[in-house]
Amino acid sequence: MGPEAKVAIPVLTDALKDNDAKVRQSSAETLSGIGTEAKAAIPALTNVLKDNEAEVRWSAAYALSQMSPEAKVAVPASPIQI
């Protein structure tokens, strides 16, 4: 994804709170594709590590791993099994 994807970060971050698990999962996956440019979503993705759906948690963990070293720290610190 190019730099123009940055404008979607706030919308994708809000979508992480959607009632539909597929929407949450897709949002996390899209944020992972944006990568380091999506650092603003780190707090929201960290919260998603507590999601009831394993696929959503996995997508959030993967997205965090694509962002930065400080985001990777959130994954092992999570008490929720991914």
Side-chain angles (χ1 to χ4, degrees):
M1 290 186 204
E4 62 276 357
K6 287 175 67 172
V7 298
I9 294 169
V11 174
L12 292 166
T13 301
D14 285 343
L16 292 171
K17 299 177 217 163
D18 196 273
N19 289 332
D20 186 333
K22 291 291 184 190
V23 171
R24 296 191 306 275
Q25 181 179 359
S26 294
S27 298
E29 290 172 356
T30 304
L31 286 164
S32 73
I34 296 172
T36 58
E37 298 294 324
K39 284 185 181 181
I42 291 172
L45 285 163
T46 302
N47 286 335
V48 174
L49 294 175
K50 301 171 196 161
D51 198 278
N52 291 331
E53 300 293 329
E55 296 85 4
V56 177
R57 292 192 306 269
W58 188 93
S59 295
Y62 182 76
L64 286 166
S65 77
Q66 300 304 300
M67 292 185 182
S68 67
E70 60 266 18
K72 290 179 187 177
V73 171
V75 176
S78 173
I80 304 301
Q81 188 173 12
I82 298 171

